[in-house]
Structures are given as C-alpha cells and as structure tokens.
Amino acid sequence: MPEVSPPALLLDLPTLAATEALARRVGALLHREDAVLLSGPLGAGKSAFARALLRDLVGDPAMDVPSPSFTLVQSYDTPRGVVHHYDLWRLEPGPDLRELGLDEAFRDIALIEWPDRLGDLTPPDALAIDLMPVSEEARRARLTGWPDRLEALAA
Ligand SMILES: Nc1ncnc2c1ncn2[C@@H]1O[C@H](COP(=O)(O)OP(=O)(O)O)[C@@H](O)[C@H]1O
Ligand SMILES: [Mg+2]
C-alpha cells in the first residue's frame, strides 16, 4: 500500500512573538488527556514555546518556567488542569522512561520536548510540532495530529 502522509499544517514563524502566539493558540485548545510533542534541534524554540503556553494558561506573563532538562519534568497547576512539562534531552534510553510518571501525565496534559526519546510510549493522538530554524529569528513549524483541531491553529 502506498504510504499516506498525515495532513500537516506548515506555518512561518518570522519572530519569537509569532512562535509565542502559536503557543497561545495551542494552549487555548488544550484539554485533559492532550499531549503536545515539541521537536527540533537545540535552540529551535521548543522551550520558548512551552514557556509562552504555560504563562498564558496560568495567566502570569512573568511566571518562572525553568527548563526541566535535569529534573526531566516540571508540573504546573492551570485552570485547564495540570500540565506536565518534560524535557527528555538527557534521558538515557531504557528503564528510566518508566519512572517519569508518563501514565499520569497522559491523563492530565503533557508538553514534551525531545519526544523521540519516548519510543513505544509516544502517545498516538498527540499534536506534534516540529520547529525548524530558518534564520536567527525565523522558524518554520510543521504541525501534525489533532485532525479536528489542526485548522484552528492556522494564524
Ligand atoms: N521565531 C522564534 N521562535 C522561537 N524562538 C526564537 C525565535 N527567534 C529567536 N528565538 C530565540 O531562540 C532561542 C530558542 O531557545 P529555546 O526555546 O531554549 O530552544 P530549544 O528549547 O528548542 O532548545 C531563544 O533564545 C529565543 O529567544
Ligand atoms: Mg529546550
């Protein structure tokens, strides 16, 4: 059978502000049991996206959103429910994955940097956002998943 590629939304993000605006649009559509997977190379803007989304959901534009690259996960109470922000960059493959509380996180809301580390545990219904650097300030985003909501994320 020929491979059918899933519908994708391609967005130009010419500035950090554009990335932050996309993060707020995603946040506005989030509910429990959603997962958002943030891929892209170091410096692509995954953490900047997560910070903007969390600040907007909590309603505090100055909230501290530390990178959970050492703790691996940081959880936030928001009016939408608990959001678990993962940064799996340092995760070693293997049993560590079982100790991350992913079952619970997938019942709440999960926001995951470096989701390639999840392997078999990747949630199938997630919104996947791949951020590609274009220049110092510009990014291109490729969004897949969320078939019923993808269109609402176009600017
Ligand atoms: N359009 C843009 N989108 C996201 N980040 C941008 C953009 N333009 C510049 N930046 C900068 O790029 C850096 C991205 O860093 P960060 O979010 O930590 O990346 P990652 O988590 O993907 O490693 C930040 O310093 C941010 O200000
Ligand atoms: Mg990061």
Side-chain angles (χ1 to χ4, degrees):
M1 270 213 322
E3 206 172 295
V4 179
S5 42
L9 179 65
L10 293 171
L11 295 175
D12 283 316
L13 304 170
T15 60
L16 174 61
T19 300
E20 293 172 339
L22 174 62
R24 289 193 292 271
R25 294 204 296 283
V26 170
L29 298 179
L30 274 179
H31 46 64
R32 276 173 54 97
E33 302 196 353
D34 278 335
V36 177
L37 310 178
L38 294 166
S39 313
L42 273 178
K46 302 178 296 297
S47 294
F49 181 106
R51 188 175 301 120
L53 188 156
L54 286 161
R55 285 177 173 172
D56 192 54
L57 279 192
V58 170
D60 177 357
M63 182 174 73
D64 194 27
V65 179
S67 175
S69 53
F70 286 98
T71 53
L72 297 178
V73 60
Q74 181 82 36
S75 302
Y76 298 82
D77 269 315
T78 85
R80 293 297 167 96
V82 181
V83 181
H84 304 273
H85 176 206
Y86 286 88
D87 182 334
L88 303 180
W89 166 244
R90 287 170 200 281
L91 184 76
E92 302 291 340
D96 285 5
L97 210 48
R98 312 273 156 201
E99 285 159 31
L100 289 174
L102 285 166
D103 289 345
E104 188 192 338
F106 292 147
R107 286 193 293 270
D108 296 323
I109 296 172
L111 196 53
I112 304 180
E113 298 184 46
W114 298 100
D116 54 304
R117 310 289 198 262
L118 292 173
D120 293 353
L121 300 181
T122 306
D125 302 325
L127 172 68
I129 303 179
D130 195 15
L131 292 170
M132 294 159 277
V134 175
S135 70
E136 201 164 312
E137 262 224 274
R139 306 288 185 266
R140 194 132 213 262
R142 182 173 185 276
L143 290 75
T144 51
W146 282 14
D148 302 335
R149 287 178 277 176
L150 203 56
E151 250 175 71
L153 291 174

